[in-house]
């Protein structure tokens, strides 16, 4: 699931910090990961000669931040087993036979409670 989510993450990072977002495919609401500061943000601006080095550090920290964002997103998103879309907890219902997104639940006339009301 984390791998799946990592693929959905949109990069919102800047030169100063790393941040990623995911939008729910049912309600369209955006979720943003906790932003992680780039450890060399100050130095990178001052020491232009080390640019290549700091670029490499930046990429490495960004990859870590992406994985952390994926882990964070797992707590808030689920994949609907019917339509296979990625939906937020407000759009994902706990139903009797199988949990699913609220659009599928409506179509299949299943009822349930959202994971996060
Ligand atoms: Zn939603
Ligand atoms: Zn669905």
């Amino acid at each position: 699931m984390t791998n799946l989510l990592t693929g959905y993450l949109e990069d919102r990072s800047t030169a100063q910090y790393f941040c990623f977002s995911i939008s729910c495919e049912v309600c369209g609401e955006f979720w943003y990961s906790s932003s992680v500061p780039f450890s060399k943000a100050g130095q990178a601006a001052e020491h232009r000669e080390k640019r290549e080095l700091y670029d490499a550090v930046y990429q490495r920290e960004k990859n870590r931040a992406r994985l952390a964002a994926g882990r964070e997103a797992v707590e808030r998103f689920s994949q609907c087993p019917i339509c296979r879309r990625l939906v937020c907890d407000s759009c994902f219902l706990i139903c009797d036979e199988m949990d699913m997104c609220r659009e599928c639940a409506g179509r299949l006339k299943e009822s349930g409670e959202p994971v996060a009301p």
Side-chain angles (χ1 to χ4, degrees):
M1 188 66 186
T2 307
N3 285 343
L4 168 88
L5 284 167
T6 310
Y8 275 94
L9 292 170
E10 272 184 63
D11 190 0
R12 305 274 173 178
S13 306
T14 69
Q16 281 77 40
Y17 65 91
F18 307 106
C19 182
F20 298 87
S21 72
I22 291 186
S23 61
C24 167
E25 293 186 74
V26 170
C27 67
E29 190 126 335
F30 276 97
W31 166 83
Y32 293 89
S33 67
S34 323
S35 57
V36 179
F38 172 40
S39 67
K40 306 283 184 207
Q43 288 101 307
E46 272 173 44
H47 304 280
R48 301 254 171 232
E49 72 284 3
K50 291 203 174 178
R51 202 194 152 133
E52 215 177 318
L53 170 69
Y54 289 145
D55 277 353
V57 177
Y58 184 87
Q59 286 310 325
R60 191 178 62 185
E61 290 186 13
K62 186 190 255 186
N63 286 337
R64 282 189 199 148
R66 189 193 303 274
L67 290 175
R71 282 193 295 270
E72 228 184 310
V74 167
E75 310 288 322
R76 292 163 181 85
F77 286 86
S78 303
Q79 189 184 32
C80 173
I82 313 284
C83 64
R84 302 263 150 214
R85 290 184 300 175
L86 196 64
V87 298
C88 75
D89 279 353
S90 324
C91 298
F92 196 67
L93 308 187
I94 314 263
C95 301
D96 279 347
E97 311 206 48
M98 188 181 247
D99 305 341
M100 63 184 83
C101 79
R102 60 178 156 85
E103 284 185 358
C104 289
R107 195 159 43 83
L108 302 177
K109 309 220 180 319
E110 292 287 325
S111 59
E113 287 297 315
V115 174

